Amino acid sequence: MKVAIGQDSHRFDFENAEKSLVLGGVLFEEHPPLSGNSDADVVLHAITNAISGITCINILGEKADALCASGITDSKIYLQEALKYLKEEIIHVSVSIECKTPKIAPKISDMRKSIAAILKLMTAI
Ligand SMILES: [Zn+2]
């Protein structure tokens, strides 16, 4: 069994009115996005980084930048790219988010389902 911890952080982009916040593949409408070339989904980036910690294949960086340059800004694609190199089965994922806003709790169920769908995990609840 292998265990990994992934981390990521982004600033909010309060000037950007064209995008909204995306966390764990879930849109937080009417909340300013995080800053980044992609959708800046910091949750999926952290999970991607955790998987890279196991596979030793760095996705966020050159590979994601190339995908982003080709117009692919959905972080689900970056996570799916990381999963291509993972031989082990994922049995559990835990995510911790530090932010003052928005309120995360109303979206936790949607985020769990979204993350579980991307990772092909059964959700406990
Ligand atoms: Zn990131």
Side-chain angles (χ1 to χ4, degrees):
M1 180 171 72
K2 296 179 179 176
V3 177
I5 296 173
Q7 188 278 336
D8 195 32
S9 60
H10 288 247
R11 295 172 188 256
F12 281 106
D13 183 357
F14 294 104
E15 307 295 317
N16 190 335
E18 297 177 15
K19 297 189 332 187
S20 291
L21 178 65
V22 180
L23 294 175
V26 174
L27 186 65
F28 286 68
E29 295 175 7
E30 300 180 20
H31 198 283
L34 296 175
S35 179
N37 295 333
S38 68
D39 60 9
D41 189 329
V42 70
V43 172
L44 296 189
H45 291 185
I47 296 171
T48 301
N49 284 336
I51 293 170
S52 289
I54 290 173
T55 64
C56 297
I57 306 291
N58 192 28
I59 300 301
L60 298 180
E62 286 184 23
K63 289 182 185 291
D65 287 348
L67 289 168
C68 203
S70 71
I72 298 171
T73 58
D74 185 342
S75 295
K76 290 177 199 162
I77 305 299
Y78 310 156
L79 178 50
Q80 288 168 343
E81 182 68 19
L83 291 169
K84 289 180 186 174
Y85 300 97
L86 185 68
K87 295 180 174 54
E88 294 80 4
E89 178 186 6
I90 298 174
I91 56 172
H92 183 79
V93 172
S94 180
V95 174
S96 176
I97 301 170
E98 292 182 36
C99 61
K100 189 171 183 179
T101 63
K103 294 254 186 254
I104 303 296
K107 299 273 193 176
I108 287 176
S109 179
D110 290 343
M111 291 172 65
R112 290 175 63 113
K113 290 174 188 163
S114 170
I115 293 166
I118 298 165
L119 300 177
K120 298 181 174 46
L121 292 171
M122 301 280 288
T123 54
I125 298 173

